[in-house]
Structure formats: structure tokens, C-alpha cells
Amino acid sequence: MTSTKAPEAPHQAKRCRILIVDDSSTHRLWLELMLGSRYDIDVAVDGEAGLRAAVANQPDLILLDVVMPGVDGFTTCRALRKRTETRKTPVIMVTTKDEEIDVETGYTSGCTDYIAKPVDQLELLAKVESWLDASGVV
Amino acid sequence: MAAAPALAPVLMADTRVFVHPGKLAASATPCRITTILGSCVAVSLHDAGMSVGGINHYLLPRAPHGETSTRFGDHALPQLLEAVERLGARRKHLVAKVVGGACVLDVFRDKTTHLGNQNVTMAFETLHEMRLPVMMAETGGSKARHVTFHPDTGDLVVRCL
């Protein structure tokens, strides 16, 4: 896991921490570019690393890919929901898997929201801000 | 049967179509239209006399300036109305159903400003402005929903996930 800290946003009292779990370096970079100016970003490259990072660092929100080597995003999400440290953390699935069965599996796995790739920045920012607000961390 | 606007698929009789987020579908033939909602909202419109109906699935309440996408409630509702009217629905005979806007974690439910609530508010405000009556609403809560809509009958079946 690596960590980057973006410049402080002047209007925000508390900088929230977001964990991006995605095996694609391109997608991780793209998400970091969209979010890095507002939030502190941690990244993990697969489900197992994501679960470890989430339990250890307890981010305010998790962006979780589905198709990854080893443990997939659905299994990772179920594991996150079983851990007391991450049971209430908002988890947004961010994935190319956008068929009916995929979305249903995502929600039954415990995700908070579901975004299909390619990611629209407006949608991503609106959902991230909304769930951070709803969870009471901002 | 005619196709609705560009974003809506052409629906053949007895087919099943999954409406992805930000899209809409309308038909005058028997078929099943499904979608899955978390904080998003779906609004269906149906004219029983003409057996025409349609449903949208929007993600955010309001579009930024210059955007006209059906990902936004303020455009998804007028474009759904246009789609069903193209298929023969008569505005004064249309009734609406509103579903979705969940806050998918128990811990969040006390918050009233979350995205799901904003999407639901947009639906009711816009339908009121359009003078379209709402005959059923299943909104809010903490569970995502699977929705099946039958455009010819207007039946809408909701299953919590």
C-alpha cells in the first residue's frame, strides 16, 4: 500500500481519507487525479491488500474495484462488512461490471453505492461527498 | 411500437431490458424493464388507456449548467415524458410511480440530506410541476431495490436486496 497527501483544500476543516482498491494502475491514477485535491488517498492493488489497509487505517470511505486478481471486490466487500473496524464504512463499487447480476451482487455484498466505469467525475464527487456527509465524518 | 428518444432502447414484445443508471426505456408492447437502485431514483409513467409506459433511472438530482443528460433528475423526467408521449401516451392520463433513494447503511438513516433524499425530492417536485399524479411511492429506507416495470400494464414490482 502506498499513500499520497494532496495539498490542503482551504474550505475543508477535516480532510477525509479515501482508500482506492483497484489492480489497474491507470484506474488508480485516474481516481487519484479526480479526488486527490480534496481528500487524502490510500491505494491498494488487490482485495487482500485492500482489506488489510482498510482494517489498519480505517479510511472514511472505500472505492472498490470488482475484477481483481485473487480476492474479487464482492468477496472483499463481504469481508469488510464482517469486520467491526469497517462494518460502517461507506463502500462504493467502481467497476466495469455493470450488468444486472453484477449490480445486484454488489448490493447484496454490502456495498453502499455502485458506479460503472468509465467513471464520470461529477457522479463520483457527488457520491463521495454525499456518503462522507451522511456518515458524519465531515 | 416506436422507439423512445436516443437513450432508450427499442423494446420488442416479451423482451427483458435492464436500464443502466442514467438511462430510460419506454414501450407500448408487453415486456419487462428492470433496474437496480441504491441512492438513485426511478420514476415510471403509464397511460393505462393506451397501454404505454416508461421508466427512467437517474443518479443525481440536478444537472450542471449546459448538461442535458438523463443521469440528472431535472432532465430524466422531462425526457421520459417525451418518450412515452412519442409512443402515444396522453399527458392527462399519465400516472407516476417513484422508487428508490435509499441510504444503504443503517448507520446513515438519520441523515436527511443524503443523495437519495435529494433524488426523491427532485422527483416529487418535478412531477408536481409537470402536474403528473403520483399513485405509488416506495422511497428512502436502508435497502437497495430491484425494480421490474411492465410498460403495457404499468405494474411495478419492487424487491428489496
Side-chain angles (χ1 to χ4, degrees):
Chain A
M1 187 193 75
T2 61
S3 179
T4 57
K5 184 163 184 172
E8 196 77 20
H11 63 284
Q12 197 166 340
K14 175 185 183 293
R15 283 185 68 89
C16 294
R17 179 165 290 275
I18 295 176
L19 172 64
I20 298 169
V21 185
D22 197 315
D23 63 311
S24 164
S25 58
T26 305
H27 286 143
R28 289 196 306 270
L29 179 60
W30 183 234
L31 290 170
E32 284 190 70
L33 286 171
M34 286 194 268
L35 298 167
S37 65
R38 299 176 183 216
Y39 307 106
D40 293 339
I41 305 294
D42 292 334
V43 299
V45 299
D46 58 40
E48 281 187 43
L51 182 60
R52 282 197 305 272
V55 170
N57 301 332
Q58 297 184 37
D60 299 304
L61 183 143
I62 299 169
L63 299 177
L64 182 59
D65 186 21
V66 171
V67 182
M68 296 181 287
V71 181
D72 68 20
F74 297 140
T75 307
T76 303
C77 192
R78 289 188 204 100
L80 288 165
R81 290 296 175 243
K82 288 179 180 171
R83 300 291 301 244
T84 54
E85 302 92 333
T86 55
R87 187 173 61 85
K88 297 177 180 178
T89 308
V91 176
I92 302 178
M93 295 281 189
V94 183
T95 175
T96 54
K97 302 272 282 181
D98 66 346
E99 293 305 313
E100 185 170 7
I101 185 65
D102 304 317
V103 183
E104 181 161 350
T105 304
Y107 280 114
T108 55
S109 301
C111 80
T112 313
D113 216 322
Y114 204 99
I115 295 178
K117 292 177 181 174
V119 175
D120 174 77
Q121 185 172 18
L122 192 65
E123 178 188 355
L124 178 70
L125 289 173
K127 291 194 167 185
V128 165
E129 288 173 13
S130 175
W131 291 124
L132 287 172
D133 179 60
S135 61
V137 297
V138 292
Chain B
M1 186 192 67
L7 288 170
V10 176
L11 304 184
M12 307 302 289
D14 300 321
T15 56
R16 175 175 170 155
V17 172
F18 178 63
V19 177
H20 288 87
K23 305 294 184 184
L24 62 84
S27 179
T29 59
C31 61
R32 283 194 300 167
I33 306 174
T34 61
T35 197
I36 297 176
L37 306 163
S39 61
C40 297
V41 162
V43 176
S44 72
L45 295 177
H46 180 246
D47 176 348
M50 298 299 289
S51 299
V52 170
I55 189 167
N56 60 20
H57 175 157
Y58 62 87
L59 299 88
L60 302 173
R62 285 183 180 76
H65 183 68
E67 265 275 9
T68 59
S69 165
T70 48
R71 292 181 299 134
F72 305 98
D74 53 353
H75 292 284
L77 287 161
Q79 290 188 40
L80 176 64
L81 175 61
E82 185 185 338
V84 294
E85 285 184 329
R86 280 189 191 182
L87 291 169
R90 301 152 302 174
R91 184 163 181 157
K92 65 181 179 183
H93 293 273
L94 284 170
V95 292
K97 296 179 181 178
V98 182
V99 187
C103 198
V104 187
L105 270 185
D106 284 348
V107 67
F108 297 153
R109 272 189 297 184
D110 288 341
K111 289 276 187 174
T112 56
T113 56
H114 68 82
L115 196 53
N117 266 354
Q118 294 175 39
N119 281 329
V120 170
T121 300
M122 169 56 71
F124 285 113
E125 287 180 354
T126 307
L127 289 167
H128 179 73
E129 287 168 10
M130 297 165 93
R131 301 187 179 189
L132 295 172
V134 178
M135 72 175 298
M136 185 276 259
E138 186 174 320
T139 60
S142 62
K143 297 287 185 186
R145 295 173 171 95
H146 182 280
V147 177
T148 303
F149 177 64
H150 299 266
D152 55 324
T153 64
D155 290 343
L156 190 146
V157 180
V158 180
R159 173 169 57 88
C160 287
L161 300 179

